[in-house]
């Protein structure tokens, strides 16, 4: 899938030539300046982001590389062939992306059609009629007659775009085509990110289901031991009810996780352009996904030239600027040159007669004198639309910078959270080991062993959730920076 082949823009040479011969009213579009900021977050915070924690060797550290290249196929950094195939299948069959590409082609063809205004308009016609004259219409009292009229004619017209209204209209079409190209890139980026996030979520749900099911088995063992103690009179009946409540809560958690996994599988099927019953979700092990550790970070001055949503907003600003020129040109005279020539006769056989030859050539001018203020206010409305587009552009830039800052801070906190969850999981595992040793030496009861095992599994579930969140926040960084589409050939 390629964008905007060169053939769509060759008529720009014609437009440029005409621009040298006449002026164009309205503002000449100027690309907005990049924001005058040097960082996404405060310098003190950036120091913490340079090496995202943690001290444990088991937890990979993520390092920010300012100015590093962002690959257009960034999802391959997770090093999962199943994940790669899921993304490629969605890119090949997703209806939303197909619609965006079709709309892009439509805008390119509209631009091609718009370029036709820079060329003379040539038409020809052939007509044959049988007529009955009414001389009385000309004040004559002769008898009416019936005759044939055959006319072969051709005409050529060319508008002199002295004030640039037509050129501004084509400029707006060009900007609209650019807008749609960035809409397509945004759809490409959003689709790939949704597939990757859905695959990560499904892998996390599957891992949590396995751990929770193991937890239920332990809780059932704990229930059997508690029932025995209640029967022996060494534990109150309330202890048995407490364990049953834990089991029911864990079973409810499994059902909820299974539902979330099913929703994710249906989402993956939809993203791949398939019906749920026809799709098979990729089996991805969360533990086998490789977390990207070298994270690229674009300079703030580059972000405005990378993110599709910012470029969309800039293209809309360009359209609004061109429309001001169109509305301004409508207030000035319009001039066109027209020439017509042809032959007429009573039959096809005598069309070449001298008496049947006719032609005309000359300019025509239309001057708007009074329109009740409609042209003036149309221009004012176009200016208002430009101001609105400029404000929307600034808001889009602000939102984009906030998203990058939020993701950078999230990655820092993810590392901190994973450090804490890893310690909690390690402590729970060590406590379980010690309790098992004490049980073997008779210093701990079997119920204590099961309780320690339950605590370990709960810590394991929290650890899985934190790992998945860190992976998804890493995806969010690639998306917030624009996805690296400018470093690839496809889209």
């Amino acid at each position: 899938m390629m964008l905007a082949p060169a053939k769509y823009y060759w008529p720009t040479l014609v437009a440029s030539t005409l621009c040298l011969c006449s002026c164009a009213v309205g503002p000449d579009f100027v690309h907005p300046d990049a924001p005058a900021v040097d960082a996404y977050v405060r310098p003190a915070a950036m120091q913490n982001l340079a090496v995202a924690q943690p001290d444990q060797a088991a937890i990979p550290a993520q390092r920010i590389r300012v100015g590093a290249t962002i690959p257009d196929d960034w999802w391959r950094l997770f090093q999962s062939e199943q994940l790669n195939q899921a993304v490629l299948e969605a890119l090949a069959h997703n209806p939303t992306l197909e619609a965006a590409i079709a709309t892009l082609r439509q805008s390119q063809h509209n631009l091609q059609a718009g370029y036709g205004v820079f060329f003379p308009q040539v038409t020809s016609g052939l007509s044959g009629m049988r007529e009955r004259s009414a001389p009385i219409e000309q004040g004559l009292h002769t008898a009416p007659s019936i005759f044939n009229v055959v006319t072969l004619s051709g005409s050529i017209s060319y508008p002199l775009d002295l004030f640039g209204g037509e050129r501004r209209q084509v400029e707006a079409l060009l900007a609209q085509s650019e807008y749609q190209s960035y809409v397509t890139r945004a759809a490409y980026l959003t689709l790939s990110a949704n597939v990757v996030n859905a695959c990560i979520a499904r892998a996390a749900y599957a891992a949590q289901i396995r751990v929770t099911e193991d937890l239920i088995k332990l809780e059932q063992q704990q229930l059997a031991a508690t029932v025995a103690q209640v029967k022996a009179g060494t534990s109150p009946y309330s202890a048995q009810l407490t364990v049953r409540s834990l089991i029911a809560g864990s079973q409810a958690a499994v059902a909820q996780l299974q539902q979330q996994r099913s929703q994710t599988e249906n989402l993956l099927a939809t993203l791949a352009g398939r019906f749920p019953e026809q799709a098979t979700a990729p089996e991805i092990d969360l533990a086998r996904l490789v977390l990207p550790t070298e994270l690229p970070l674009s300079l703030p001055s580059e972000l405005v030239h990378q993110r599709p949503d910012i470029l969309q907003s800039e293209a809309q600003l360009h359209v609004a600027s061109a429309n001001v020129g169109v509305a301004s040109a409508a207030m000035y005279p319009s001039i066109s040159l027209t020439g017509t020539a042809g032959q007429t006769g009573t039959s096809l056989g005598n069309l070449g007669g001298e008496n049947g030859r006719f032609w005309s050539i000359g300019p025509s001018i239309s001057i708007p004198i009074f329109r009740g203020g409609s042209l003036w206010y149309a221009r004012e409305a176009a200016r208002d639309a430009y101001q609105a587009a400029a404000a929307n552009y600034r808001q889009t830039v602000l939102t984009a910078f906030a998203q990058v800052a939020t993701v950078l801070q999230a990655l820092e906190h993810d590392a901190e959270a994973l450090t804490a969850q890893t310690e909690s999981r390690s402590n729970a595992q060590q406590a379980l080991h010690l309790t098992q040793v004490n049980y073997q030496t008779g210093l701990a009861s079997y119920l204590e062993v099961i309780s320690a095992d339950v605590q370990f599994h709960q810590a394991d579930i929290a650890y899985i959730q934190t790992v998945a969140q860190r992976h998804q926040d890493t995806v969010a960084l690639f998306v917030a920076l624009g996805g690296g589409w400018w470093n690839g050939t496809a889209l």
Side-chain angles (χ1 to χ4, degrees), residues 22-25 160-168 325 329 332-335:
S22 58
C23 64
V25 296
L160 300 180
D161 192 25
L162 297 180
F163 301 101
E166 300 292 351
R167 275 168 287 150
R168 294 299 189 193
Y332 292 86
S334 60
I335 303 173

Side-chain angles (χ1 to χ4, degrees), residues 78 83 113 118 160 168 187 276 341 343 396 398 414 417 419 433-434 466:
F78 291 93
L83 180 62
F118 297 127
L160 300 180
R168 294 299 189 193
Q343 289 285 142
T396 302
L398 288 172
D414 286 342
T419 300
H433 174 70
L434 293 176
T466 306

Side-chain angles (χ1 to χ4, degrees), residues 44-64:
M46 279 300 296
Q47 293 177 3
N48 295 332
L49 288 172
V51 179
Q53 301 292 329
D55 296 332
Q56 290 93 335
I59 306 177
Q62 291 184 306
R63 293 174 174 82
I64 301 298

Side-chain angles (χ1 to χ4, degrees), residues 188-213:
Y188 179 93
L189 176 58
T190 301
L191 174 60
S192 56
N194 285 342
V195 172
V196 174
N197 278 327
C199 287
I200 293 173
R202 183 184 182 279
Y205 293 145
Q208 291 179 69
I209 289 172
R210 289 193 297 269
V211 174
T212 307
E213 287 176 342

Side-chain angles (χ1 to χ4, degrees), residues 14 124 177 215 283 302 307 344 352 375 444 459 490:
V14 179
S124 64
S177 178
L215 177 61
E283 294 295 338
E302 296 175 347
R307 277 186 55 129
T344 187
L375 297 180

Side-chain angles (χ1 to χ4, degrees), residues 219-233:
E219 289 173 340
Q220 289 174 339
Q221 293 178 16
Q222 182 180 3
L223 175 61
T226 304
V227 169
Q229 291 178 350
V230 170
K231 290 181 178 180

Side-chain angles (χ1 to χ4, degrees), residues 259-339:
Q259 173 60 19
Q260 291 171 331
R261 183 177 62 180
S262 298
Q263 290 175 342
T264 304
E265 291 171 351
N266 294 337
L267 173 60
L268 284 170
T270 303
L271 293 175
R274 300 180 182 276
F275 293 100
E277 68 172 355
Q278 299 174 337
T280 301
E283 294 295 338
I284 297 175
D285 187 352
L286 183 64
R288 297 181 65 86
L289 285 178
V290 177
L291 181 73
T293 56
E294 300 294 324
L295 299 180
L297 182 63
S298 303
L299 294 172
S301 59
E302 296 175 347
L303 186 69
V304 295
H305 305 301
Q306 296 177 179
R307 277 186 55 129
D309 57 340
I310 295 179
L311 294 172
Q312 287 176 47
S313 186
E314 182 178 328
Q316 289 177 318
L317 181 62
H318 192 176
V319 172
S321 173
N323 287 339
V324 173
V326 173
S328 299
M331 302 176 67
Y332 292 86
S334 60
I335 303 173
S336 62
L337 297 177
T338 304

